[in-house]
Amino acid sequence: MGLYRDEGVVLRTQKLGEADRIVTLLTHRHGRIRAVAKGVRRITSRFGARLEPFSHVDVQLAEGRSLDVVTQAETLAPYAGSFVADYARYTSGTAMLETADRLTAEEKQPAVQQYLLLVGGLRTLAGGVRDPGLVLDAFLLRSLAVAGYAPSFDLCARCGLPGLHRFFAIAAGGAVCADCRPAGSASPAADTLALLGALLTGDWAAAERADLRHRREGSGLVAAYLQWHLERGLRSLPLVERA
Ligand SMILES: [Zn+2]
């Protein structure tokens, strides 16, 4: 059996048998991995506490027939500690882990950009300087972009007309001009679309000037946009598996 080493973030864990856990990691070079961590639920486990959600770890794994096995784990950054006492950061962080899990559909397919976004997002969240809601929305927008679903905020998503448009249509791919807008388009404030554009491009100075009303409206649009793409992913996946 081959051994390999990588860095990764623990996305989630599930119980396996009496004392083991299956740990899902998003790694730097091997993409998303599910691996067995043996004996981690015992008090005497050598690395049980290092393999909790949010942990950024250096791991050694042994290739297995179905699941690989964690043989070593060293903590690089224990982000969980800075999130559990702060509800806003904890919920933002949890949403980041879930999104990274869902947007890396294939196991062991390298997802370097997604990994770097997640590590950067958790680090910023743990730093405590930026608003957790803005950190989350910036992460979600960039993750969607990396996954190939970049929303448009400055050009009409249909005809490419530049400008700050008044309408937003999820199915069309973002902001749309008055001529292109489909029925049922949202009509957010121009400042809200400018905020989302700033978060997507990493312009924190502009993003942090946005007031609470536009941050809230922006979060609603990001959540709806993400949900729409994840549901589409889920709907198409069972069809592929059965074909
Ligand atoms: Zn248009």
Side-chain angles (χ1 to χ4, degrees):
M1 285 200 296
L3 286 175
Y4 63 100
R5 195 166 197 100
D6 207 341
E7 291 177 9
V9 173
V10 178
L11 301 179
R12 62 190 158 96
T13 68
Q14 63 194 97
K15 292 177 182 177
L16 178 68
E18 295 270 305
D20 304 342
R21 273 206 178 101
I22 294 175
V23 179
T24 303
L25 294 146
L26 180 59
T27 65
H28 194 168
R29 295 191 309 278
H30 297 82
R32 186 167 56 80
I33 290 174
R34 291 171 73 238
V36 178
K38 290 188 171 160
V40 286
R41 284 159 60 209
R42 293 200 181 96
I43 293 165
T44 54
S45 167
R46 282 175 300 128
F47 49 68
R50 295 172 202 165
L51 294 171
E52 296 292 337
F54 298 117
S55 294
H56 186 204
V57 287
D58 182 300
V59 284
Q60 187 185 66
L61 298 115
E63 285 171 343
R65 268 181 302 244
S66 54
L67 291 171
D68 295 349
V69 176
V70 179
T71 53
Q72 283 177 24
E74 298 298 335
T75 303
L76 297 172
Y79 291 125
S82 55
F83 297 153
V84 285
D86 183 321
Y87 187 72
R89 278 198 264 169
Y90 178 78
T91 51
S92 292
T94 301
M96 287 163 65
L97 296 186
E98 281 180 18
T99 301
D101 195 357
R102 296 283 300 279
L103 287 178
T104 50
E106 296 275 325
E107 278 185 47
K108 291 199 174 177
Q109 289 297 307
V112 178
Q113 284 180 291
Q114 198 71 58
Y115 168 80
L116 294 175
L117 271 181
L118 181 61
V119 171
L122 291 177
R123 190 181 295 136
T124 305
L125 201 57
V129 174
R130 308 241 184 251
D131 172 60
L134 290 183
V135 176
L136 173 61
D137 287 339
F139 171 82
L140 296 178
L141 288 169
R142 291 178 194 179
S143 292
L144 283 160
V146 164
Y149 308 125
S152 175
F153 296 115
D154 49 359
L155 306 177
C156 170
R158 285 220 166 137
C159 73
L161 184 73
L164 276 179
H165 299 295
R166 288 177 49 218
F167 303 99
F168 188 86
I170 289 169
V176 281
C177 71
D179 291 336
C180 292
R181 69 177 166 127
S185 298
S187 49
D191 284 352
T192 299
L193 293 181
L195 163 63
L196 296 181
L199 290 174
L200 182 60
T201 55
D203 184 351
W204 280 100
E208 287 178 333
R209 280 197 297 273
D211 63 31
L212 193 59
R213 187 165 50 106
H214 299 125
R215 291 184 191 195
R216 286 205 181 120
E217 189 174 49
S219 291
L221 292 178
V222 173
Y225 194 80
L226 175 71
Q227 198 64 31
W228 192 79
H229 282 289
L230 290 182
E231 278 177 13
R232 274 167 55 88
L234 266 189
R235 274 206 299 272
S236 59
L237 202 59
L239 298 174
V240 173
E241 301 266 311
R242 282 168 211 168

